[in-house]
Amino acid sequence: RLARSASGSTQRLARSASGGSQPPAHCLTFDDVAEKWFQAYEQLASDDGHDVCVNNRLRKDMKKMCLPALAIAVSESYDIGQCTISAGAPFDSSACNGGTMCGVWQIVGCYLPLCLPGFTADVPNPPDVATHAKAIYTHLTSSEPNWGCNGEYSGKLTSATIPGIRQKQRLDGSKGHRFCAGAWTGGNYKNNVLNRVDGKFKTLKKACNRALKRVLRSSQC
């Protein structure tokens, strides 16, 4: 509940050249979403004064979390509205459920008076998907007391780790970041990937690997 890539752009150009309609800008490919995830890493590393090119703990964490993040997105914003599988850009980054849960990962930006970093009561759904990814890493999947799956927040809902989406973190949440069932309630995430994604988890893994390489190249690593 509660990112646009070189290859995604190439896919769009190819469709346009062949006469196919180009999906709206808010529709993203697997590579787009994964690239936004690692752009969040780039921003977080810079904010903390870390060298983006060094394979530090932050990069390792976010690399491990990329595939699970895509698996979550498949259940939350995949193949809806104008963003369809057939159009080649199946993630709807503008999707909102009831006006409160929004974006690729359907997160709630504000429980007033508290708001996630980058979110405000006036702008509850910032258009930059990397902003959503940063909030997921720093708050929703962390030990942050008010929001995190490993914080006091988890006791308000359920802290159970979402199974079957290739999370590398310990299931009891005692170490690292994790997606938990109390924060994301979109159903059977594993089966949605297996039943809806051509190539299944391999598609997600390849998108993550390509995206990290592109982001590191863009940082001249």
Side-chain angles (χ1 to χ4, degrees), residues 73-95:
V74 168
S75 287
E76 302 293 356
S77 62
Y78 187 72
D79 197 29
I80 58 176
Q82 297 174 294
C83 306
T84 62
I85 295 171
S86 60
F91 293 98
D92 187 351
S93 65
S94 69

Side-chain angles (χ1 to χ4, degrees), residues 124-204:
N125 182 29
D128 180 21
V129 181
T131 298
H132 291 236
K134 286 174 66 176
I136 288 171
Y137 183 80
T138 61
H139 282 62
L140 296 175
T141 62
S142 73
S143 297
E144 201 282 332
N146 294 306
W147 300 83
C149 282
N150 295 333
E152 295 175 13
Y153 163 84
S154 63
K156 300 175 185 177
L157 297 168
T158 171
S159 60
T161 297
I162 295 173
I165 58 171
R166 312 292 173 90
Q167 298 203 76
K168 300 291 186 181
Q169 294 73 28
R170 289 177 56 174
L171 293 181
D172 63 2
S174 61
K175 183 179 181 180
H177 294 246
R178 65 197 178 94
F179 294 92
C180 66
W184 283 274
T185 58
N188 193 319
Y189 291 94
K190 176 183 177 181
N191 283 353
N192 284 338
V193 172
L194 296 178
N195 295 332
R196 303 182 68 194
V197 178
D198 185 24
K200 308 184 190 310
F201 281 96
K202 288 183 180 178
T203 296
L204 280 60

Side-chain angles (χ1 to χ4, degrees), residues 3 33-41 62 65-66 69 105 133 136:
V33 178
E35 187 162 340
K36 288 296 185 180
W37 182 259
F38 286 115
Q39 286 176 3
Y41 155 69
M62 296 199 74
M65 294 178 68
C66 179
W105 293 285
I136 288 171

Side-chain angles (χ1 to χ4, degrees), residues 38-116:
F38 286 115
Q39 286 176 3
Y41 155 69
E42 191 176 33
Q43 294 169 21
L44 286 168
S46 178
D47 291 346
D48 291 341
H50 296 312
D51 186 342
V52 173
C53 298
V54 174
N55 190 19
N56 52 36
R57 173 66 180 271
L58 175 62
R59 190 208 291 185
K60 291 176 181 177
D61 275 354
M62 296 199 74
K63 183 177 180 180
K64 290 177 181 178
M65 294 178 68
C66 179
L67 190 153
L70 291 185
I72 295 289
V74 168
S75 287
E76 302 293 356
S77 62
Y78 187 72
D79 197 29
I80 58 176
Q82 297 174 294
C83 306
T84 62
I85 295 171
S86 60
F91 293 98
D92 187 351
S93 65
S94 69
C96 282
N97 181 2
T100 56
M101 296 181 291
C102 296
V104 170
W105 293 285
Q106 292 290 283
I107 65 175
V108 178
C110 294
Y111 285 109
L112 294 176
L114 299 175
C115 288
L116 292 168

